[in-house]
Amino acid sequence: MAKEELITMEGAIDEILPDGRFGVTLDNEHRIICYTAGKMRRYRIRSVVGDRVHVEMTPYDLSKGRIVFRERTPGPMPAGARKRGYRR
């Protein structure tokens, strides 16, 4: 028998909690606790309050989830990033 399908929803981060967890308010106004997916941790994708995210949940426990994607938001470039260009 195959695994159960994961439920994918969108929401916004509204709180940063200890141990790499986040409070996320979904588009249907439910609030869940989420952790960051492994690939996001591996590539050091940072999430802050107000970011729009995609969350995967199992049908067995709808109060917890995993953040699998952070939508890009326009804004200033981070301090550590540099533009690629001509190098002398």
Side-chain angles (χ1 to χ4, degrees):
M1 186 165 185
K3 282 180 157 183
E4 290 289 327
E5 288 293 320
L6 295 176
I7 300 168
T8 304
M9 303 205 60
E10 293 185 26
I13 295 176
D14 62 357
E15 185 180 8
I16 298 177
L17 302 169
D19 297 330
R21 298 194 184 271
F22 299 90
V24 175
T25 302
L26 301 176
D27 289 342
N28 60 4
E29 300 301 320
H30 283 66
R31 188 166 185 283
I32 62 172
I33 304 299
C34 297
Y35 64 93
T36 308
K39 290 269 185 176
M40 289 182 67
R41 255 188 257 130
R42 180 179 178 187
Y43 293 109
R44 297 188 181 114
I45 296 174
R46 301 289 180 212
S47 300
V48 294
V49 173
D51 282 350
R52 297 282 304 162
V53 292
H54 294 200
V55 176
E56 285 184 349
M57 299 181 300
T58 178
Y60 299 110
D61 187 4
L62 298 175
S63 66
K64 296 178 185 161
R66 177 177 56 220
I67 298 173
V68 294
F69 182 77
R70 181 182 62 92
E71 293 181 9
R72 291 186 179 208
T73 55
M77 192 181 319
R82 291 191 298 165
K83 291 183 180 177
R84 300 253 182 216
Y86 179 73
R87 185 175 160 191
R88 292 184 181 194

Coordinates of all heavy atoms in Angstrom, one line a residue:
M1 N 0.8 -1.2 0.0 CA 0.0 0.0 0.0 C 0.9 1.2 0.0 O 1.9 1.3 0.7 CB -0.9 0.0 1.2 CG -1.9 1.1 1.3 SD -3.1 0.7 2.5 CE -4.2 2.0 2.2
A2 N 0.5 2.2 -0.8 CA 1.3 3.5 -0.9 C 1.1 4.4 0.3 O 0.2 4.2 1.1 CB 0.9 4.2 -2.2
K3 N 2.1 5.3 0.5 CA 2.0 6.2 1.5 C 0.9 7.2 1.3 O 0.4 7.4 0.2 CB 3.3 7.1 1.6 CG 4.5 6.4 2.2 CD 5.6 7.5 2.1 CE 6.7 7.2 3.1 NZ 7.7 8.3 3.1
E4 N 0.4 7.8 2.4 CA -0.6 8.8 2.3 C 0.0 10.1 1.6 O 1.2 10.4 1.7 CB -1.1 9.2 3.6 CG -1.9 8.2 4.3 CD -3.3 8.0 3.7 OE1 -3.8 9.0 3.2 OE2 -3.8 6.9 3.7
E5 N -0.8 10.7 0.8 CA -0.4 12.0 0.1 C -0.2 13.1 1.2 O -1.0 13.2 2.1 CB -1.4 12.4 -0.9 CG -1.4 11.5 -2.1 CD -0.1 11.6 -2.9 OE1 0.4 12.7 -3.1 OE2 0.4 10.6 -3.4
L6 N 0.8 13.9 1.0 CA 1.0 15.1 1.8 C 0.1 16.2 1.4 O -0.2 16.4 0.2 CB 2.4 15.5 1.8 CG 3.4 14.5 2.4 CD1 4.8 15.0 2.2 CD2 3.2 14.2 3.8
I7 N -0.4 17.0 2.4 CA -1.2 18.2 2.1 C -0.3 19.4 2.0 O 0.5 19.6 2.9 CB -2.2 18.4 3.2 CG1 -3.1 17.2 3.3 CG2 -3.0 19.7 2.9 CD1 -4.0 17.2 4.6
T8 N -0.3 20.1 0.9 CA 0.5 21.3 0.7 C -0.3 22.5 0.8 O -1.3 22.6 0.1 CB 1.3 21.2 -0.7 OG1 2.0 20.0 -0.8 CG2 2.2 22.4 -0.8
M9 N 0.1 23.5 1.6 CA -0.7 24.7 1.8 C 0.3 25.9 1.8 O 1.5 25.7 1.9 CB -1.5 24.7 3.1 CG -2.4 23.5 3.1 SD -3.8 23.7 4.2 CE -4.6 25.1 3.5
E10 N -0.2 27.1 1.7 CA 0.6 28.3 1.7 C 0.2 29.1 3.0 O -0.9 29.0 3.5 CB 0.4 29.1 0.5 CG 0.9 28.5 -0.8 CD 0.8 29.4 -2.0 OE1 0.7 30.6 -1.8 OE2 0.7 28.9 -3.1
G11 N 1.2 29.8 3.5 CA 0.9 30.7 4.6 C 2.0 31.7 4.8 O 2.9 31.8 4.0
A12 N 2.0 32.3 6.0 CA 3.0 33.3 6.3 C 3.6 33.1 7.7 O 2.8 32.7 8.6 CB 2.4 34.7 6.2
I13 N 4.9 33.3 7.8 CA 5.5 33.1 9.1 C 5.1 34.3 10.0 O 5.3 35.4 9.6 CB 7.1 33.0 8.9 CG1 7.4 31.8 8.1 CG2 7.7 33.0 10.3 CD1 8.9 31.6 7.9
D14 N 4.7 33.9 11.2 CA 4.3 35.0 12.1 C 5.1 35.0 13.4 O 5.0 36.0 14.2 CB 2.8 35.0 12.4 CG 2.3 33.7 13.1 OD1 3.2 32.8 13.3 OD2 1.1 33.6 13.4
E15 N 5.8 34.0 13.6 CA 6.6 33.9 14.9 C 7.8 32.9 14.7 O 7.7 31.9 14.0 CB 5.7 33.4 16.0 CG 6.4 33.3 17.4 CD 5.4 32.8 18.4 OE1 4.3 32.3 18.1 OE2 5.8 32.9 19.6
I16 N 8.9 33.3 15.3 CA 10.1 32.4 15.3 C 10.2 31.8 16.7 O 10.3 32.5 17.7 CB 11.4 33.2 14.9 CG1 11.2 33.8 13.5 CG2 12.6 32.3 15.0 CD1 12.4 34.6 13.1
L17 N 10.3 30.5 16.7 CA 10.3 29.8 18.0 C 11.7 29.1 18.2 O 12.5 29.0 17.2 CB 9.2 28.7 18.0 CG 7.8 29.2 17.8 CD1 6.9 28.0 17.5 CD2 7.4 30.0 19.0
P18 N 12.0 28.7 19.4 CA 13.3 28.0 19.6 C 13.4 26.7 18.8 O 12.4 26.1 18.4 CB 13.4 27.8 21.1 CG 12.2 28.5 21.7 CD 11.3 28.8 20.6
D19 N 14.7 26.2 18.7 CA 15.0 24.9 18.1 C 14.6 24.9 16.6 O 14.2 23.8 16.1 CB 14.3 23.8 18.8 CG 14.8 23.6 20.3 OD1 15.9 24.0 20.5 OD2 14.0 23.2 21.1
G20 N 14.7 26.0 15.9 CA 14.5 26.0 14.4 C 13.0 25.8 14.0 O 12.8 25.2 13.0
R21 N 12.1 26.2 14.9 CA 10.7 26.0 14.5 C 10.1 27.4 14.3 O 10.6 28.4 14.7 CB 10.0 25.3 15.7 CG 10.5 23.9 15.9 CD 9.6 23.0 16.7 NE 10.2 21.7 16.9 CZ 10.0 20.7 16.1 NH1 9.3 20.8 15.1 NH2 10.6 19.5 16.4
F22 N 9.0 27.4 13.6 CA 8.3 28.6 13.2 C 6.8 28.5 13.5 O 6.3 27.4 13.3 CB 8.5 29.0 11.8 CG 10.0 29.1 11.4 CD1 10.7 28.1 11.0 CD2 10.6 30.4 11.5 CE1 12.1 28.2 10.6 CE2 11.9 30.6 11.1 CZ 12.6 29.5 10.7
G23 N 6.2 29.6 13.8 CA 4.7 29.6 13.9 C 4.3 30.2 12.5 O 4.7 31.2 12.1
V24 N 3.4 29.4 11.9 CA 2.9 29.8 10.5 C 1.4 29.9 10.5 O 0.7 29.0 11.0 CB 3.4 28.8 9.5 CG1 2.8 29.1 8.1 CG2 4.9 28.7 9.4
T25 N 0.9 31.0 10.0 CA -0.6 31.2 9.8 C -0.9 30.8 8.4 O -0.4 31.5 7.5 CB -1.0 32.6 10.2 OG1 -0.6 32.9 11.5 CG2 -2.5 32.7 10.0
L26 N -1.7 29.8 8.2 CA -2.1 29.4 6.8 C -3.1 30.4 6.2 O -3.7 31.2 6.9 CB -2.6 28.0 6.9 CG -1.7 26.9 7.4 CD1 -2.4 25.6 7.5 CD2 -0.4 26.8 6.6
D27 N -3.3 30.2 4.9 CA -4.2 31.1 4.2 C -5.7 30.9 4.7 O -6.5 31.8 4.6 CB -4.2 30.9 2.7 CG -2.9 31.4 2.1 OD1 -2.2 32.2 2.8 OD2 -2.5 31.0 1.0
N28 N -6.0 29.7 5.3 CA -7.3 29.5 5.8 C -7.4 29.9 7.3 O -8.3 29.4 8.0 CB -7.7 28.0 5.6 CG -6.8 27.1 6.3 OD1 -5.9 27.5 7.0 ND2 -7.0 25.8 6.1
E29 N -6.5 30.7 7.8 CA -6.5 31.3 9.2 C -6.1 30.3 10.3 O -6.3 30.6 11.4 CB -7.8 32.0 9.5 CG -8.1 33.1 8.5 CD -7.0 34.2 8.6 OE1 -6.5 34.5 9.6 OE2 -6.7 34.7 7.5
H30 N -5.7 29.0 9.9 CA -5.3 28.1 11.0 C -3.8 28.4 11.3 O -3.0 28.7 10.4 CB -5.4 26.7 10.5 CG -6.8 26.2 10.6 ND1 -7.8 26.7 9.8 CD2 -7.4 25.2 11.3 CE1 -9.0 26.1 10.1 NE2 -8.7 25.2 11.0
R31 N -3.4 28.2 12.5 CA -2.0 28.4 12.9 C -1.4 27.1 13.3 O -2.0 26.3 14.0 CB -1.9 29.3 14.1 CG -0.5 29.7 14.4 CD -0.5 30.9 15.4 NE 0.9 31.3 15.6 CZ 1.7 30.7 16.4 NH1 1.4 29.6 17.0 NH2 3.0 31.2 16.5
I32 N -0.2 26.8 12.7 CA 0.5 25.5 12.9 C 2.0 25.8 13.3 O 2.5 26.9 13.1 CB 0.4 24.6 11.7 CG1 1.1 25.2 10.5 CG2 -1.0 24.2 11.4 CD1 1.2 24.2 9.3
I33 N 2.6 24.8 13.8 CA 4.0 24.9 14.2 C 4.8 24.1 13.1 O 4.4 23.0 12.8 CB 4.3 24.3 15.5 CG1 3.5 24.9 16.6 CG2 5.8 24.3 15.9 CD1 3.8 26.4 16.8
C34 N 5.8 24.7 12.5 CA 6.6 24.1 11.4 C 8.1 24.1 11.7 O 8.6 25.0 12.4 CB 6.3 24.9 10.1 SG 4.6 24.9 9.6
Y35 N 8.7 23.2 11.0 CA 10.2 23.2 11.0 C 10.7 23.3 9.6 O 9.9 23.1 8.7 CB 10.7 21.9 11.7 CG 10.4 20.6 11.0 CD1 11.3 20.1 10.1 CD2 9.2 20.0 11.3 CE1 11.0 18.9 9.4 CE2 8.9 18.8 10.6 CZ 9.8 18.3 9.7 OH 9.5 17.1 9.0
T36 N 11.9 23.7 9.4 CA 12.5 23.9 8.1 C 12.9 22.5 7.5 O 13.5 21.7 8.2 CB 13.7 24.8 8.2 OG1 13.4 26.0 8.9 CG2 14.2 25.2 6.9
A37 N 12.7 22.3 6.3 CA 13.0 21.1 5.6 C 14.6 21.0 5.5 O 15.3 22.0 5.6 CB 12.4 21.1 4.2
G38 N 15.1 19.8 5.3 CA 16.5 19.5 5.3 C 17.2 20.3 4.2 O 18.3 20.8 4.4
K39 N 16.7 20.3 3.0 CA 17.4 21.0 1.9 C 17.5 22.5 2.2 O 18.5 23.1 1.8 CB 16.6 20.8 0.6 CG 16.7 19.4 0.0 CD 17.8 19.3 -0.9 CE 17.8 17.9 -1.5 NZ 18.8 17.7 -2.5
M40 N 16.5 23.1 2.8 CA 16.5 24.5 3.2 C 17.6 24.8 4.2 O 18.3 25.8 4.2 CB 15.2 25.0 3.7 CG 14.1 25.1 2.6 SD 12.6 25.7 3.1 CE 13.0 27.4 3.5
R41 N 17.7 23.8 5.2 CA 18.8 24.0 6.2 C 20.2 23.8 5.5 O 21.1 24.5 5.8 CB 18.6 22.9 7.3 CG 18.1 23.5 8.5 CD 18.1 22.5 9.6 NE 16.7 22.0 9.8 CZ 16.4 20.7 9.8 NH1 17.2 19.8 9.8 NH2 15.1 20.4 10.0
R42 N 20.3 22.8 4.6 CA 21.5 22.5 4.0 C 22.1 23.7 3.2 O 23.3 24.0 3.2 CB 21.4 21.3 3.0 CG 22.6 20.9 2.3 CD 22.4 19.7 1.5 NE 23.5 19.4 0.7 CZ 23.6 18.4 -0.2 NH1 22.5 17.8 -0.5 NH2 24.7 18.2 -0.8
Y43 N 21.2 24.4 2.4 CA 21.6 25.5 1.6 C 21.4 26.8 2.3 O 21.5 27.9 1.7 CB 20.8 25.5 0.3 CG 21.2 24.3 -0.6 CD1 20.4 23.2 -0.8 CD2 22.5 24.3 -1.1 CE1 20.7 22.1 -1.5 CE2 22.9 23.2 -1.9 CZ 22.0 22.1 -2.1 OH 22.4 21.0 -2.8
R44 N 21.2 26.8 3.6 CA 21.1 28.0 4.5 C 20.1 29.0 4.0 O 20.4 30.2 3.9 CB 22.5 28.6 4.7 CG 23.5 27.6 5.3 CD 24.8 28.3 5.7 NE 25.7 27.4 6.3 CZ 26.8 27.0 5.7 NH1 27.2 27.5 4.5 NH2 27.6 26.2 6.3
I45 N 18.9 28.6 3.7 CA 17.9 29.5 3.3 C 17.2 30.0 4.6 O 16.7 29.2 5.3 CB 16.9 28.8 2.4 CG1 17.5 28.4 1.1 CG2 15.7 29.7 2.1 CD1 16.7 27.5 0.2
R46 N 17.4 31.3 4.8 CA 16.9 31.9 6.0 C 15.4 32.3 5.9 O 15.0 32.8 4.8 CB 17.7 33.1 6.4 CG 19.2 32.8 6.6 CD 19.4 32.1 7.9 NE 20.8 31.8 8.0 CZ 21.2 30.7 8.6 NH1 20.4 29.8 9.1 NH2 22.5 30.5 8.8
S47 N 14.6 32.2 6.9 CA 13.3 32.6 6.9 C 13.1 33.6 8.0 O 13.6 33.4 9.1 CB 12.3 31.4 7.1 OG 12.5 30.5 6.1
V48 N 12.3 34.7 7.8 CA 12.0 35.7 8.8 C 10.5 35.9 8.9 O 9.8 35.4 8.0 CB 12.8 37.0 8.5 CG1 14.3 36.8 8.6 CG2 12.4 37.5 7.1
V49 N 10.1 36.6 9.9 CA 8.7 36.9 10.1 C 8.2 37.7 8.9 O 8.8 38.6 8.4 CB 8.5 37.7 11.4 CG1 7.0 38.2 11.5 CG2 8.9 36.9 12.6
G50 N 7.0 37.3 8.4 CA 6.4 37.9 7.2 C 6.7 37.2 5.9 O 6.0 37.5 4.9
D51 N 7.6 36.3 5.8 CA 7.9 35.5 4.6 C 6.7 34.6 4.2 O 6.1 34.0 5.1 CB 9.1 34.6 4.8 CG 10.4 35.4 4.6 OD1 10.3 36.6 4.2 OD2 11.4 34.8 4.9
R52 N 6.4 34.5 3.0 CA 5.4 33.6 2.5 C 6.1 32.3 2.2 O 7.1 32.2 1.7 CB 4.8 34.1 1.1 CG 4.0 35.4 1.2 CD 2.7 35.3 1.8 NE 1.9 34.3 1.1 CZ 0.8 33.8 1.5 NH1 0.3 34.1 2.7 NH2 0.1 32.9 0.8
V53 N 5.5 31.2 2.7 CA 6.1 29.9 2.6 C 5.1 28.8 2.2 O 3.8 29.0 2.3 CB 6.7 29.4 4.0 CG1 7.9 30.3 4.4 CG2 5.6 29.5 5.1
H54 N 5.6 27.7 1.6 CA 4.8 26.6 1.3 C 5.0 25.5 2.4 O 6.2 25.2 2.7 CB 5.1 26.0 -0.1 CG 4.8 26.9 -1.2 ND1 4.7 26.5 -2.5 CD2 4.6 28.3 -1.2 CE1 4.5 27.5 -3.3 NE2 4.4 28.6 -2.5
V55 N 4.0 24.9 2.9 CA 4.1 24.0 4.0 C 3.5 22.6 3.6 O 2.4 22.6 3.0 CB 3.3 24.6 5.2 CG1 3.3 23.6 6.4 CG2 3.9 25.9 5.7
E56 N 4.2 21.6 4.0 CA 3.6 20.2 3.8 C 3.2 19.7 5.1 O 3.9 19.8 6.1 CB 4.7 19.3 3.2 CG 5.0 19.5 1.8 CD 6.0 18.5 1.2 OE1 6.6 17.7 2.0 OE2 6.2 18.4 0.0
M57 N 2.0 19.0 5.1 CA 1.5 18.4 6.4 C 1.0 17.0 6.1 O 0.6 16.7 4.9 CB 0.3 19.3 6.9 CG 0.6 20.7 7.2 SD -0.8 21.6 7.8 CE -1.9 21.5 6.5
T58 N 1.0 16.2 7.1 CA 0.5 14.8 6.9 C -1.0 14.9 7.3 O -1.3 15.7 8.2 CB 1.3 13.9 7.8 OG1 0.7 12.6 7.7 CG2 1.3 14.2 9.2
P59 N -1.8 14.0 6.7 CA -3.2 14.0 7.1 C -3.4 13.5 8.5 O -4.5 13.7 9.1 CB -3.9 13.1 6.1 CG -2.8 12.5 5.3 CD -1.5 13.2 5.6
Y60 N -2.4 12.9 9.2 CA -2.6 12.4 10.5 C -2.5 13.4 11.6 O -3.1 13.3 12.6 CB -1.6 11.3 10.7 CG -1.7 10.1 9.8 CD1 -0.8 9.9 8.8 CD2 -2.8 9.3 9.8 CE1 -0.9 8.8 7.9 CE2 -3.0 8.2 8.9 CZ -2.0 8.0 8.0 OH -2.2 7.0 7.1
D61 N -1.7 14.5 11.4 CA -1.5 15.5 12.4 C -1.5 16.9 11.7 O -0.5 17.3 11.1 CB -0.2 15.3 13.2 CG -0.1 16.2 14.3 OD1 -1.1 17.0 14.6 OD2 0.9 16.2 15.0
L62 N -2.6 17.6 11.7 CA -2.8 18.8 11.0 C -2.3 20.0 11.8 O -2.5 21.2 11.4 CB -4.2 19.0 10.6 CG -4.7 17.9 9.6 CD1 -6.2 18.1 9.3 CD2 -3.9 17.9 8.3
S63 N -1.7 19.8 13.0 CA -1.2 20.9 13.8 C 0.3 21.2 13.6 O 0.9 22.1 14.1 CB -1.4 20.7 15.3 OG -0.7 19.5 15.7
K64 N 1.0 20.3 12.8 CA 2.4 20.4 12.6 C 2.7 20.3 11.1 O 1.9 19.7 10.4 CB 3.2 19.3 13.3 CG 3.1 19.4 14.8 CD 3.8 18.3 15.5 CE 3.5 18.3 17.0 NZ 3.8 17.1 17.6
G65 N 3.8 20.9 10.7 CA 4.2 20.8 9.3 C 5.6 21.1 9.0 O 6.4 21.3 9.9
R66 N 6.0 21.0 7.7 CA 7.4 21.2 7.3 C 7.4 22.3 6.2 O 6.7 22.2 5.2 CB 7.9 19.9 6.7 CG 9.3 20.0 6.2 CD 9.9 18.7 5.7 NE 9.0 18.1 4.7 CZ 8.7 16.8 4.7 NH1 9.3 16.0 5.6 NH2 8.0 16.3 3.8
I67 N 8.3 23.3 6.4 CA 8.4 24.4 5.4 C 9.3 23.8 4.3 O 10.4 23.5 4.6 CB 9.0 25.6 6.1 CG1 8.1 26.2 7.2 CG2 9.3 26.7 5.0 CD1 8.7 27.3 7.9
V68 N 8.8 23.8 3.1 CA 9.5 23.2 2.0 C 9.9 24.3 1.0 O 10.8 24.0 0.1 CB 8.7 22.1 1.3 CG1 8.6 20.9 2.2 CG2 7.4 22.6 0.8
F69 N 9.4 25.5 1.0 CA 9.7 26.5 0.0 C 9.4 27.9 0.6 O 8.4 28.1 1.2 CB 8.8 26.3 -1.2 CG 9.2 27.3 -2.4 CD1 10.3 27.1 -3.1 CD2 8.3 28.3 -2.6 CE1 10.6 28.0 -4.2 CE2 8.6 29.2 -3.6 CZ 9.7 29.1 -4.4
R70 N 10.3 28.8 0.4 CA 10.1 30.2 0.8 C 10.1 31.0 -0.4 O 11.0 31.0 -1.3 CB 11.3 30.7 1.7 CG 11.1 32.2 2.1 CD 12.3 32.6 3.0 NE 13.5 32.6 2.2 CZ 14.0 33.7 1.6 NH1 13.3 34.8 1.5 NH2 15.2 33.6 0.9
E71 N 9.0 31.8 -0.6 CA 8.8 32.6 -1.8 C 9.8 33.8 -1.8 O 10.0 34.3 -0.7 CB 7.4 33.1 -1.9 CG 6.4 31.9 -2.2 CD 5.0 32.4 -2.3 OE1 4.8 33.6 -2.4 OE2 4.1 31.6 -2.4
R72 N 10.3 34.1 -2.9 CA 11.2 35.3 -3.0 C 10.4 36.6 -2.8 O 9.4 36.7 -3.4 CB 11.9 35.3 -4.3 CG 12.9 34.2 -4.5 CD 13.7 34.4 -5.7 NE 14.6 33.3 -5.8 CZ 15.8 33.4 -6.5 NH1 16.1 34.5 -7.1 NH2 16.6 32.4 -6.5
T73 N 11.0 37.5 -2.0 CA 10.3 38.8 -1.8 C 11.3 39.8 -2.3 O 12.5 39.7 -2.0 CB 9.9 39.0 -0.4 OG1 11.1 38.8 0.4 CG2 8.9 38.0 0.1
P74 N 10.9 40.8 -3.0 CA 11.8 41.9 -3.4 C 12.2 42.7 -2.2 O 11.4 42.9 -1.3 CB 11.0 42.7 -4.4 CG 9.6 42.4 -4.0 CD 9.5 41.0 -3.5
G75 N 13.5 43.1 -2.2 CA 14.0 43.9 -1.1 C 15.5 44.1 -1.3 O 16.1 43.8 -2.3
P76 N 16.1 44.8 -0.3 CA 17.5 45.0 -0.5 C 18.3 43.8 -0.4 O 17.9 42.7 0.1 CB 17.8 45.9 0.8 CG 16.7 45.6 1.7 CD 15.5 45.2 0.9
M77 N 19.5 43.8 -1.0 CA 20.4 42.7 -1.1 C 21.0 42.5 0.3 O 21.4 43.5 1.0 CB 21.5 42.9 -2.1 CG 22.3 41.6 -2.4 SD 23.6 41.8 -3.6 CE 22.9 42.9 -4.8
P78 N 21.2 41.3 0.8 CA 21.8 41.0 2.1 C 23.2 41.6 2.1 O 23.9 41.7 1.1 CB 21.8 39.5 2.2 CG 20.9 39.0 1.2 CD 20.8 40.0 0.2
A79 N 23.7 41.9 3.3 CA 25.0 42.5 3.5 C 26.2 41.6 3.0 O 27.2 42.1 2.4 CB 25.3 42.8 5.0
G80 N 26.1 40.3 3.1 CA 27.1 39.4 2.7 C 27.2 39.1 1.2 O 28.2 38.6 0.7
A81 N 26.1 39.4 0.5 CA 26.1 39.1 -0.9 C 26.7 40.2 -1.7 O 26.6 41.4 -1.4 CB 24.6 38.9 -1.3
R82 N 27.4 39.8 -2.8 CA 28.0 40.7 -3.7 C 27.5 40.5 -5.1 O 27.1 39.3 -5.5 CB 29.5 40.6 -3.7 CG 30.2 41.0 -2.5 CD 31.7 41.1 -2.6 NE 32.2 39.8 -2.9 CZ 33.4 39.5 -3.4 NH1 34.2 40.5 -3.6 NH2 33.8 38.3 -3.7
K83 N 27.4 41.5 -5.9 CA 27.0 41.4 -7.3 C 28.2 40.7 -8.1 O 29.4 41.0 -7.9 CB 26.7 42.7 -7.9 CG 25.5 43.3 -7.4 CD 25.2 44.6 -8.1 CE 23.9 45.2 -7.6 NZ 23.6 46.5 -8.2
R84 N 27.8 39.9 -9.0 CA 28.9 39.3 -9.9 C 29.2 40.3 -11.0 O 28.3 40.9 -11.6 CB 28.3 38.0 -10.5 CG 28.0 37.0 -9.5 CD 29.0 35.9 -9.5 NE 28.5 34.9 -8.5 CZ 29.4 34.2 -7.8 NH1 30.7 34.4 -7.9 NH2 28.9 33.3 -6.9
G85 N 30.4 40.4 -11.3 CA 30.8 41.4 -12.3 C 32.2 41.2 -12.7 O 32.9 40.1 -12.4
Y86 N 32.8 42.2 -13.3 CA 34.2 42.1 -13.7 C 35.1 42.2 -12.5 O 34.9 42.9 -11.6 CB 34.5 43.3 -14.7 CG 35.9 43.3 -15.2 CD1 36.3 42.4 -16.1 CD2 36.8 44.2 -14.6 CE1 37.6 42.4 -16.5 CE2 38.1 44.3 -15.1 CZ 38.5 43.4 -16.0 OH 39.8 43.4 -16.4
R87 N 36.1 41.3 -12.6 CA 37.0 41.2 -11.5 C 38.4 41.5 -12.0 O 38.9 40.9 -13.0 CB 37.0 39.9 -10.8 CG 37.9 39.7 -9.6 CD 37.6 38.4 -9.0 NE 38.8 38.0 -8.2 CZ 39.0 36.9 -7.7 NH1 38.2 35.9 -7.9 NH2 40.1 36.7 -6.9
R88 N 39.2 42.4 -11.4 CA 40.5 42.7 -11.9 C 41.5 41.7 -11.4 O 41.5 41.2 -10.5 CB 40.9 44.1 -11.4 CG 40.1 45.2 -12.0 CD 40.6 46.5 -11.6 NE 39.8 47.5 -12.2 CZ 40.1 48.8 -12.2 NH1 41.2 49.2 -11.7 NH2 39.3 49.6 -12.8

